[in-house]
């Protein structure tokens, strides 16, 4: 036995038409952590989660959750996990409690304790007052909260959240984050989430797994990933390219500076103390900057550096369209 | 079959809570008998003596409504059975299907909950329809010898036809994603099922090729079985024999379709 609650070995999914959604990933996820899959739409996050939660079977490779194989022991896996799919799954024509009680019946949970559990869960996400209301009367944020606890009725050890805040406005999203943290603290579940929002991965995850084109690019804590950038960036724009070469000679830069047109990007240890030194240096050399800016390490930059792409903050609509395309592929 | 009961309860809740759905489902068959049932006044068509003559193609029906009740009950179950299939598509499009698929329930229970709830709805509709037909003037006339066996035949025929049709429409829906396609297919098969059968007209009045085709139509089997017990009440042994034979055909068809539904839904259903 290991300390890992989830382990995967060369997990692969190829869709018909030789579309390789997930290309053999190795993962070890610790008990009690929030593990975030971060990547652009179509990176293979949802496919990975769907395999782990037994909705689709892997093409090759293996994975186990709490020691149970996801293919051979899929029913046992299903009993021990909670899943919150990307789409809204509550039946609008039923009341919130009715949806939750139906799920309790799916797991053959005895009535009295499960009803008590359901009441607790509703209170956990501040839906205690509206449990008896029809789901169709709920706002978007309320529905997402209901979805969150719909995955918790069977008291799972592992909870999968697929894009838990997709399509929510900024305020509602921040609230949703608080609820997810509360779930982990109060119930002690291991949470696996996917997201294409950098702030979300940063805010929630203990460890982040950056995934692109079906491959794992890197895994680490947010701090580790940012540290891999080695420092802050100072970006200087000047009138002519000639002076950039002079700026590049600045002794405080840690790496070979990157020149792009009239712009130069210097990596320094600490921008706060290095910026005045750079200013001094430039004045002495007689260079007048047009523009100067400082960038502290962000996951954005980590992503940019590792994948060579910026993770685009897609507009809700196009993200939705892409999600639909992926869904069609999965069918 | 874990999940079958909670899912069936869900279907029935959605049905009786939606007043439009509920009442349309009940009123529509009543329209059928009141309007279509009055479309042919047998007394005008055949004369009063003709209606009571054994030569009448409708003999011994005292009126057209009594003649077509068995057919209307069967067609109604055809229409209600459609919803089994349609609701599978809705569940997939509106999201609940994703929840069912990650739950530890057998996949066929998702489909059979629709079959069971449709069957239940059909039986409720049948009771109301028969009651309405008895109340209206010049409506259903029951024979004196109407007995428990007759009731048994009606219930069994309806349950079997309901299982068959709702399984059939579920099988269509398991693979399909688009509502438009499902409705297209349903319309395509409903018309021939109704008109190439003895649901509304006796064989004696049909073109002979149509009469031959209709003999192989399950809608005819159920319609004729119900019609026979309603028109004769106390059956002769040869009538009993033919009624039981119809029920046997229906039973075989229902078993075949239910098994097929089971296999396909366990294997094919996805979100």
């Amino acid at each position: 036995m290991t300390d890992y609650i989830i382990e995967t070995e060369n997990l692969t999914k190829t869709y018909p038409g030789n579309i390789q959604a997930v290309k053999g990933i190795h993962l070890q996820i610790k008990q009690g952590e929030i593990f975030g899959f971060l990547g652009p739409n179509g990176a293979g996050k949802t496919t990975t989660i769907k395999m782990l939660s037994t909705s689709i079977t892997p093409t090759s490779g293996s994975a186990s959750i709490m020691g149970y194989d996801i293919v051979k022991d899929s029913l046992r896996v299903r009993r021990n996990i909670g899943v919150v799919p990307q789409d809204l799954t509550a039946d609008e024509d039923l009341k919130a409690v009715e949806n939750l009680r139906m799920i309790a019946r799916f797991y053959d949970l005895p009535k009295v304790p499960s009803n008590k559990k359901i009441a607790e869960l509703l209170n956990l996400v501040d839906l205690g007052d509206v449990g008896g209301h029809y789901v169709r009367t709920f706002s978007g944020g309320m529905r997402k909260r209901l979805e969150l606890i719909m995955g918790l009725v069977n008291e799972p050890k592992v909870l999968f959240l697929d894009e838990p805040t997709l399509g929510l406005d900024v305020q509602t999203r921040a609230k949703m984050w608080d609820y997810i943290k509360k779930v982990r603290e109060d119930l002690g579940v291991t949470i696996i989430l996917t997201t294409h929002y950098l702030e979300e991965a940063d805010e929630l995850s203990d460890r982040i797994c950056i995934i692109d084109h079906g491959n794992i690019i890197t895994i680490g804590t947010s701090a580790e990933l940012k540290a891999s950038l080695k420092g802050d960036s100072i970006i200087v724009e000047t009138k002519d390219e000639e002076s950039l070469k002079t700026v590049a000679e600045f002794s405080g830069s840690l790496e070979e500076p990157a020149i792009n047109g009239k712009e130069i990007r210097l990596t320094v240890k600490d921008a706060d103390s290095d910026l005045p030194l750079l200013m001094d240096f430039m004045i002495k050399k007689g260079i007048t900057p047009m523009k100067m800016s400082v960038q502290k390490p962000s996951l954005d930059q980590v992503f940019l550096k590792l994948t060579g792409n910026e993770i685009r903050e897609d507009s809700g609509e196009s993200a939705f369209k892409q999600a639909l395309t992926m869904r069609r592929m999965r069918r | 079959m874990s999940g079958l009961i909670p899912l069936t309860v869900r279907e029935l809740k959605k049905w009786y809570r939606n007043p439009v759905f509920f009442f349309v489902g009940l009123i529509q068959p009543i329209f059928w008998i009141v309007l279509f049932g009055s479309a042919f006044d047998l007394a005008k068509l055949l004369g009063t003596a003709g209606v009571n003559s054994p030569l009448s193609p409708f003999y011994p029906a005292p009126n057209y409504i009594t003649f077509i009740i068995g057919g209307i009950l069967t067609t109604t179950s055809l229409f209600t059975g459609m919803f089994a299939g349609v609701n599978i598509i809705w569940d997939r499009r509106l999201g609940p299907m994703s929840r069912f698929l990650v739950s530890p329930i057998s996949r066929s229970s998702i489909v059979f909950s629709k079959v069971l709830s449709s069957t239940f709805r059909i039986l409720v509709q049948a009771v109301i329809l028969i009651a309405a037909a008895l109340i209206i003037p010049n409506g259903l006339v029951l024979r004196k010898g109407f007995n428990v066996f007759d009731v048994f035949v009606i219930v069994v025929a309806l349950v079997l036809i309901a299982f068959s049709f709702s399984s059939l429409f579920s099988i269509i829906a398991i693979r399909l994603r688009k509502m438009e396609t499902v409705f297209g297919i349903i319309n395509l098969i409903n018309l021939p099922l109704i008109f190439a059968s003895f649901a509304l007209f006796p064989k004696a009045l049909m073109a002979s090729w149509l009469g031959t085709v209709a003999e192989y139509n399950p809608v005819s089997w159920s319609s004729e079985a119900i019609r026979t017990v309603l028109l004769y009440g106390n059956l002769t042994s040869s009538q009993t024999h033919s009624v039981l034979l119809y029920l046997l055909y229906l039973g075989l068809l229902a078993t075949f379709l239910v098994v097929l539904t089971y296999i396909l839904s366990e294997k094919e259903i996805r979100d």
Side-chain angles (χ1 to χ4, degrees), chain A residues 237-277:
Chain A
E237 195 184 313
T238 54
K239 266 191 186 142
D240 57 297
E241 288 159 39
E242 213 37 46
S243 20
L244 286 182
K245 286 180 187 151
T246 324
V247 178
E249 285 160 22
F250 177 59
S251 57
S253 64
L254 299 171
E255 285 180 334
E256 186 66 23
I259 296 177
N260 183 9
K262 289 180 180 172
E263 232 181 54
I264 183 167
R265 178 187 284 263
L266 300 159
T267 309
V268 297
K269 199 166 163 221
D270 176 17
D272 295 346
S273 55
D274 282 315
L275 190 60
L277 296 176

Side-chain angles (χ1 to χ4, degrees), chain A residues 50 55 75 78-79 83 85 87-89 91 93-94 98 102-103 105-107 134 147 150-151 331, chain B residues 2-3 6-7 10 13-14 17 91-92 94-96 98-105 107 177 270-271:
Chain A
K50 286 213 162 199
S55 313
L75 264 184
R78 237 179 264 178
R79 289 200 166 270
V83 184
D87 353 73
L88 299 172
T89 64
D91 190 328
D93 297 330
L94 296 181
E98 288 176 331
M102 180 172 68
I103 294 169
R105 297 295 96 77
F106 289 167
Y107 290 87
Y134 282 100
E147 292 295 328
M150 279 170 79
R331 277 167 187 170
Chain B
S2 59
L7 284 170
R10 161 181 179 258
K13 265 187 194 161
K14 286 168 70 102
R17 278 191 192 159
D91 276 353
R92 187 181 286 128
L94 297 180
S98 321
R99 168 63 53 200
F100 303 154
L101 291 179
V102 296
S103 299
I105 55 175
R107 311 216 151 175
R177 315 287 165 204
R270 272 168 230 150
D271 69 338

Side-chain angles (χ1 to χ4, degrees), chain B residues 220-265:
Chain B
S220 303
W221 304 339
S222 151
S223 307
E224 281 290 305
I226 298 172
R227 177 171 301 144
T228 310
V229 299
L230 281 178
L231 290 184
Y232 294 95
N234 243 333
L235 304 188
T236 64
S237 69
S238 79
Q239 283 168 336
T240 309
H241 182 258
S242 74
V243 163
L244 290 178
L245 200 61
Y246 282 134
L247 292 189
L248 175 71
Y249 293 159
L250 287 171
L252 290 175
L253 177 73
T255 312
F256 169 72
L257 286 172
V258 164
V259 169
L260 190 63
T261 307
Y262 177 79
I263 295 170
L264 284 177
S265 56

Side-chain angles (χ1 to χ4, degrees), chain B residues 48-119:
Chain B
T48 320
V51 174
N52 296 320
S53 151
L55 292 174
S56 153
F58 299 95
Y59 184 80
N63 55 32
Y64 189 54
I65 289 182
T66 308
F67 180 82
I68 59 161
I69 277 281
I72 299 296
L73 285 172
T74 307
T75 355
T76 303
S77 60
L78 182 64
F79 285 122
T80 303
M82 283 173 2
F83 287 104
V86 170
N87 283 344
I88 290 175
I89 310 263
W90 277 129
D91 276 353
R92 187 181 286 128
R93 300 202 77 164
L94 297 180
M97 186 67 85
S98 321
R99 168 63 53 200
F100 303 154
L101 291 179
V102 296
S103 299
I105 55 175
S106 69
R107 311 216 151 175
S108 57
S109 68
I110 303 168
V111 177
F112 282 121
S113 68
K114 319 270 185 235
V115 174
L116 277 188
S117 62
S118 298
T119 307

Side-chain angles (χ1 to χ4, degrees), chain A residues 58-268:
Chain A
T59 313
S60 64
S62 67
S64 66
I65 296 183
M66 300 170 66
Y68 302 125
D69 186 275
I70 56 160
V71 179
K72 287 177 223 139
D73 255 338
S74 64
L75 264 184
R76 218 175 265 157
V77 168
R78 237 179 264 178
R79 289 200 166 270
N80 283 294
I81 60 171
V83 184
V84 180
Q86 219 169 77
D87 353 73
L88 299 172
T89 64
D91 190 328
E92 295 189 353
D93 297 330
L94 296 181
K95 296 163 185 166
V97 274
E98 288 176 331
N99 271 292
L100 294 162
R101 282 180 191 162
M102 180 172 68
I103 294 169
R105 297 295 96 77
F106 289 167
Y107 290 87
D108 297 320
L109 303 175
K111 264 192 183 153
V112 176
S114 68
N115 284 352
K116 205 175 141 235
K117 176 80 195 167
I118 286 167
E120 282 169 24
L121 287 173
L122 282 167
N123 286 327
L124 181 78
V125 293
D126 298 326
L127 289 175
D129 297 338
V130 292
H133 292 202
Y134 282 100
V135 175
R136 58 171 173 265
T137 63
F138 281 23
S139 68
M142 286 160 84
R143 289 207 59 173
K144 279 282 186 186
R145 266 139 68 194
L146 177 62
E147 292 295 328
L148 178 65
I149 58 169
M150 279 170 79
L152 292 166
V153 174
N154 60 322
E155 302 186 45
K157 307 286 183 306
V158 181
L159 179 67
F160 291 95
L161 302 176
D162 196 0
E163 299 278 4
T165 64
L166 188 70
L168 293 184
D169 61 66
V170 180
Q171 275 178 324
T172 320
R173 186 187 298 169
K175 268 181 109 178
M176 192 71 192
W177 291 343
D178 293 338
Y179 288 116
I180 293 171
K181 286 183 203 158
K182 214 160 126 193
V183 164
R184 197 259 297 260
E185 274 152 34
D186 291 12
L187 308 175
V189 275
T190 309
I191 296 179
I192 320 294
L193 64 89
T194 72
T195 182
H196 68 280
Y197 298 119
L198 292 156
E199 327 83 85
E200 185 159 291
D202 201 2
E203 172 78 23
L204 286 175
S205 319
D206 298 313
R207 287 198 300 155
I208 296 168
C209 170
I210 294 184
I211 184 166
D212 198 15
H213 301 298
N215 289 311
I216 291 180
I217 312 283
T218 187
I219 301 179
T221 63
S222 173
E224 279 168 8
L225 296 182
K226 286 174 191 165
S228 73
L229 286 173
K230 289 198 191 112
D232 303 346
S233 302
I234 301 175
I235 298 147
V236 184
E237 195 184 313
T238 54
K239 266 191 186 142
D240 57 297
E241 288 159 39
E242 213 37 46
S243 20
L244 286 182
K245 286 180 187 151
T246 324
V247 178
E249 285 160 22
F250 177 59
S251 57
S253 64
L254 299 171
E255 285 180 334
E256 186 66 23
I259 296 177
N260 183 9
K262 289 180 180 172
E263 232 181 54
I264 183 167
R265 178 187 284 263
L266 300 159
T267 309
V268 297

